[in-house]
């Protein structure tokens, strides 16, 4: 399985994501720079990591979403290549228009950094097939702008079309309908605020994130 | 030549920062405030002859997130 992680100035979870991908796929991901003009051929996954790209200036993910590499990421997503955005990566995906809605300042205004309980809502995706439907999992969050908002028509559509991948099982940041992660209509793009790459081996204190990478691996191995 | 882009949250979009400021104003005794909304002003130094529609294009493509924000352009 051939994977790539896009690094923006200010990304800080890129290394953890690469370690998690290599652990599960057995192959080190290719690191791409925001200013790269083209993607390696035949990628099975493009992952956008967490962090504070461009200092979160203007809006979280806004500048990164207009980086040269993102034109290629958007084109690849259009061809069906799986794209995973975690935390700041999720913010970049909404800013780039690959996912609907927006991630706003947490309702409590605090930066939230702790383990949270989630429900896996949709397991019929290449990202979540190794989970059980409705399964409770614990994955950490660490964000200031994770409050997912969209108009009610969009929220209804996301729910009716199976585009909600993860829901918070507790109050975290004020997100509409407790949405923690969403898919595009084609289900090849997933954005989520929790950090699965931070819980992939027992020494991390949990392994509930590992099956996301195993799901992807089994889809492409 | 200056262009000023005022970005504001759309009506109905929750504004937790505005709410916190509202509470703080009430704490200072300003009981007459009904609501507070926080936006931003972006001032651009642009070439003479730049049109309002060109600046609006900048706002649509980058300066505002039109999913949640409205914008207003003032030239001059």
């Amino acid at each position: 399985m051939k994977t790539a992680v896009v690094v923006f100035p200010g990304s800080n979870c890129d290394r953890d994501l690469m370690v998690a991908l290599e652990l599960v796929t057995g192959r080190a991901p290719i690191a791409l720079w925001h200013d790269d003009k083209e993607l390696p051929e035949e990628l099975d996954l493009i992952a956008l990591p967490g962090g504070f790209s461009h200092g979160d200036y203007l809006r979280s993910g806004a500048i990164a979403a207009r980086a040269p590499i993102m034109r290629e990421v958007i084109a690849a997503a259009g061809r069906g290549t799986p794209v995973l955005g975690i935390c700041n990566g999720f913010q970049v995906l909404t800013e780039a228009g690959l996912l609907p809605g927006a991630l706003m300042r947490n309702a409590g205004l605090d930066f939230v950094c702790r383990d949270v309980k989630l429900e896996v809502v949709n397991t019929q995706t290449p990202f979540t097939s190794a989970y059980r439907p409705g399964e409770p999992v614990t994955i950490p969050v660490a964000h200031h702008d994770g409050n997912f908002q969209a108009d009610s028509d969009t929220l209804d559509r996301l729910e009716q079309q199976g585009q909600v991948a993860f829901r918070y099982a507790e109050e975290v940041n004020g997100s509409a309908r407790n949405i923690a992660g969403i898919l595009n209509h084609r289900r090849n793009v997933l954005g989520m605020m929790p950090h699965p790459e931070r819980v992939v081996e027992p020494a991390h204190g949990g392994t509930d994130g590992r099956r996301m990478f195993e799901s992807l691996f089994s889809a492409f191995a | 030549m200056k262009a000023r882009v005022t970005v504001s949250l759309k009506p109905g979009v929750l504004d937790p920062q505005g709410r916190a400021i509202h509470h703080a104003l009430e704490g200072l005794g300003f009981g007459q405030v009904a609501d507070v909304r926080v936006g931003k002003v972006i001032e651009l130094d642009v070439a003479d002859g730049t049109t309002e529609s060109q600046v609006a294009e900048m706002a649509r493509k980058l300066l505002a997130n039109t999913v949640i924000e409205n914008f207003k352009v003032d030239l001059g």
Side-chain angles (χ1 to χ4, degrees):
Chain A
M1 182 180 178
K2 190 173 175 182
T3 65
V5 173
V6 180
V7 184
F8 300 97
S11 295
N12 65 10
C13 301
D14 43 309
R15 184 182 175 280
D16 286 0
L17 190 48
M18 289 189 211
V19 169
L21 282 166
E22 181 167 3
L23 182 73
V24 172
T25 69
R27 189 170 170 187
I30 298 162
L32 301 173
W33 184 231
H34 73 113
D35 214 16
D36 288 347
K37 308 290 189 294
E38 56 189 43
L39 296 174
E41 288 180 3
E42 295 178 358
L43 286 176
D44 297 313
L45 173 72
I46 302 166
L48 311 186
F52 301 87
S53 57
H54 299 275
D56 275 352
Y57 292 163
L58 190 62
R59 299 175 303 275
S60 300
I63 310 285
R66 280 83 180 169
I69 194 70
M70 285 306 296
R71 283 194 286 273
E72 301 307 314
V73 173
I74 291 166
R79 294 191 298 269
T81 303
V83 176
L84 168 65
I86 298 170
C87 198
N88 189 225
F90 184 11
Q91 294 161 343
V92 173
L93 291 175
T94 57
E95 280 284 343
L98 284 174
L99 292 173
L103 292 147
M104 303 188 62
R105 181 54 41 104
N106 292 343
L109 295 176
D110 290 331
F111 191 98
V112 179
C113 182
R114 59 179 167 87
D115 287 347
V116 299
K117 290 189 169 55
L118 303 171
E119 175 198 350
V120 186
V121 180
N122 187 345
T123 59
Q124 306 291 311
T125 85
F127 305 94
T128 56
S129 59
Y131 294 98
R132 296 188 307 278
E135 180 179 350
V137 294
T138 300
I139 296 180
V141 296
H143 60 247
H144 212 167
D145 296 319
N147 180 355
F148 180 77
Q149 296 295 329
D151 61 65
S152 57
D153 287 349
T154 302
L155 294 169
D156 289 344
R157 187 165 42 83
L158 287 172
E159 289 184 326
Q160 287 158 8
Q161 299 183 346
Q163 290 177 247
V164 177
F166 294 96
R167 230 188 262 281
Y168 300 111
E170 57 186 288
E171 171 53 35
V172 175
N173 53 26
S175 287
R177 303 185 194 181
N178 277 327
I179 288 172
I182 57 168
L183 300 145
N184 65 343
H185 183 60
R186 194 172 172 178
R187 301 186 187 176
N188 68 310
V189 179
L190 169 67
M192 62 189 295
M193 290 311 298
H195 284 272
E197 79 282 9
R198 294 190 184 181
V199 275
V200 293
E201 51 183 290
H204 291 160
T207 58
D208 278 351
R210 184 174 178 127
R211 272 177 293 158
M212 165 160 296
F213 303 102
E214 288 173 345
S215 301
L216 287 160
F217 186 54
S218 68
F220 292 95
Chain B
M1 178 180 146
K2 300 285 186 193
R4 175 185 288 242
V5 179
T6 306
V7 179
S8 53
L9 283 175
K10 286 184 174 175
V13 174
L14 181 71
D15 181 2
Q17 289 183 89
R19 204 168 53 188
I21 292 166
H22 189 185
H23 286 318
L25 285 171
E26 284 178 335
L28 290 170
F30 294 107
Q32 66 272 56
V33 180
D35 192 22
V36 178
R37 307 284 285 171
V38 178
K40 65 186 88 162
V41 173
I42 301 166
E43 289 184 338
L44 309 169
D45 196 348
V46 294
D48 288 348
T50 300
T51 65
E52 187 173 323
S53 70
Q54 287 172 321
V55 179
E57 182 72 1
M58 296 177 203
R60 273 191 296 274
K61 284 195 165 169
L62 176 63
L63 304 179
N65 179 345
T66 55
V67 173
I68 48 169
E69 294 169 331
N70 290 325
F71 65 87
K72 183 165 76 75
V73 175
D74 292 299
L75 290 180

